[in-house]
Amino acid sequence: MVSHFGFGECFFAISSAPTKKEYIEVSVMKLGKVTSALHECEIGDTLGVRGPYGNNFDVKGWEGKNLVFIGGGIGQAPLRSLINYVVDNRKNYGKIDVIYGARSTNDICFKPEFEELEKRKDVNVHLSIDKEEKGWKKFVGFVPDNLLKIKPSPKNTIAITCGPPIMIKFVIQNLLKIGFSEDQIFTTLEMRMKCGIGKCGRCNIGNLYVCKDGPVFSYDQLKNLKGEM
Ligand SMILES: Cc1cc2nc3c(=O)[nH]c(=O)nc-3n(C[C@H](O)[C@H](O)[C@H](O)COP(=O)(O)OP(=O)(O)OC[C@H]3O[C@@H](n4cnc5c(N)ncnc54)[C@H](O)[C@@H]3O)c2cc1C
Ligand code: FES
């Protein structure tokens, strides 16, 4: 959690990989009071940081598996951390597909990193934008449709998705259509939070606290709580 004194405090995913030891990075989308103030920060300004809180992606448990990352917009922030970790430990994982979409080319997060990733032969990158743009030769349409077109094999594969809730909803539907089982699908939730440590009750869904038990959940865990979200 990052606080800007006099403005407030916000949750952010750590977007750098744990293989980067010297510092952590967070990627902030300018939305309201705190995030706008953070965008005005200059080198040398003092911020508050507490955490990290919650659980994490099971990178060790997924060794030897194929991984499909499906991100949209700033939802790529936690996936970026994971993708960079997996690429830094490439031999421990099978096939890697990175599916990412944004509204337009201007909205693509981490553009230079995607360009680097696209040069690698051991990672398949599939980018999309929502609407046609001059010069864009890749997929045009929504992320869940691109996923259906790519149709990754569910065999020995874990799918991890993060993005706007509507995208996550249809991505999960399409993963199930392709043949992924509920325990092969993982997502991170962005419930509104306050304390971050399971005390205030702001973020609970069913008997789970997103701040403490999550924010990473398998679809298997979430499907029965859908009415609560
Ligand atoms: C676990 C978790 C991880 C997150 N990771 C990231 C990240 O890596 N990068 C990033 O940019 N953001 C991330 N967020 C979202 C980020 O915390 C919010 O964008 C931020 O709190 C907005 O604060 P603000 O003061 O700028 O906006 P406010 O002034 O509080 O709100 C501005 C507008 O945005 C709406 N809003 C505020 N928070 C949210 C939210 N969480 N979801 C939907 N609408 C919201 C408000 O209703 C209001 O309309 C994460 C949130 C959670 C819970
Ligand atoms: S944010 Fe307070 S209980 Fe989760």
Side-chain angles (χ1 to χ4, degrees):
M1 292 193 73
V2 178
S3 49
H4 195 339
F5 304 112
F7 293 94
E9 188 176 39
C10 290
F11 267 85
F12 298 106
I14 297 173
S15 66
S16 50
T19 38
K20 193 149 258 157
K21 301 285 182 204
E22 303 81 20
Y23 52 85
I24 60 161
E25 291 170 324
V26 293
S27 308
V28 178
M29 189 171 84
K30 191 172 171 181
L31 192 71
K33 195 175 157 203
V34 182
T35 49
S36 300
L38 286 173
H39 270 252
E40 301 299 316
C41 276
E42 290 181 6
I43 292 173
D45 285 355
T46 303
L47 298 173
V49 179
R50 61 184 177 104
Y53 296 126
N55 65 354
N56 50 277
F57 297 109
D58 186 15
V59 281
K60 286 278 167 211
W62 295 343
E63 284 185 358
K65 293 189 184 290
N66 306 317
L67 300 175
V68 182
F69 300 99
I70 309 144
I74 191 67
Q76 189 67 9
L79 298 185
R80 176 196 185 228
S81 167
L82 189 52
I83 292 166
N84 287 345
Y85 175 85
V86 165
V87 166
D88 287 344
N89 293 278
R90 186 63 191 89
K91 64 178 186 344
N92 296 344
Y93 299 91
K95 194 171 173 241
I96 299 178
D97 285 282
V98 178
I99 302 170
Y100 175 79
R103 280 188 191 157
S104 69
T105 47
N106 278 340
D107 295 310
I108 296 176
C109 298
F110 313 114
K111 212 184 271 179
E113 292 184 23
F114 276 120
E115 284 164 8
E116 284 307 305
L117 216 51
E118 281 179 314
K119 288 182 196 157
R120 293 183 68 112
K121 290 199 168 31
D122 55 359
V123 178
N124 307 307
V125 180
H126 316 270
L127 299 183
S128 65
I129 53 172
D130 292 356
K131 285 189 196 139
E132 205 108 29
E133 265 182 49
K134 207 172 161 216
W136 180 263
K137 293 192 175 58
K138 295 164 196 167
F139 189 80
V140 176
F142 296 127
V143 171
D145 298 327
N146 200 18
L147 168 68
L148 268 193
K149 194 191 114 231
I150 297 157
K151 221 175 174 186
S153 164
K155 197 172 167 202
N156 192 36
T157 305
I158 297 289
I160 309 110
T161 182
C162 189
I166 188 76
M167 184 206 92
I168 293 181
K169 180 178 166 192
F170 288 109
V171 161
I172 291 176
Q173 276 183 16
N174 288 352
L175 285 168
L176 295 170
K177 248 187 235 170
I178 294 169
F180 279 78
S181 60
E182 288 154 355
D183 58 357
Q184 286 176 287
I185 303 171
F186 289 80
T187 187
T188 70
L189 293 184
E190 283 197 9
M191 301 292 282
R192 305 293 173 81
M193 297 184 192
K194 194 79 189 158
C195 70
I197 51 172
K199 297 289 179 204
C200 72
R202 178 89 178 258
C203 70
N204 73 303
I205 42 168
N207 58 350
L208 297 173
Y209 289 106
V210 176
C211 67
K212 200 160 60 81
D213 305 311
V216 178
F217 295 98
S218 70
Y219 182 62
D220 204 21
Q221 286 173 293
L222 288 181
K223 62 174 196 271
N224 298 325
L225 300 168
K226 270 195 296 194
E228 308 254 0
M229 291 159 63

